[in-house]
Amino acid sequence: MTASSLTHRDRAVLRAVADGRCEISGSSLLVDGLCCADQFAGLRLRTAGLISTRPGPAALTSAGYEILSAA
């Protein structure tokens, strides 16, 4: 995934993760305690290696920080 292939929603989710507003619960990404409206965004960003895959508070990976700063 490249910065140019990110959707506006992907960038918004990455910013929310960077702001500490997200949590991974099972296969779901929670934003502000609610399931993300795009049920595939979390999976897509985790599979791309941009956010952490472990349960608990979501965190950007180094690739996530890099792509977010380039976007």
Side-chain angles (χ1 to χ4, degrees):
M1 185 172 277
T2 65
S4 63
S5 68
L6 288 176
T7 65
H8 291 289
R9 183 173 295 151
D10 291 336
R11 284 193 275 289
V13 170
L14 289 175
R15 285 192 300 269
V17 170
D19 290 342
R21 297 173 39 214
C22 298
E23 184 175 333
I24 297 173
S25 177
S27 63
S28 298
L29 178 67
L30 305 177
V31 181
D32 296 330
L34 303 170
C35 285
C36 183
D38 180 347
Q39 64 183 358
F40 301 108
L43 177 62
R44 184 172 55 247
L45 296 172
R46 286 192 314 230
T47 301
L50 302 179
I51 61 175
S52 60
T53 57
R54 59 176 170 62
L60 291 178
T61 63
S62 57
Y65 279 111
E66 185 177 313
I67 204 164
L68 186 58
S69 67

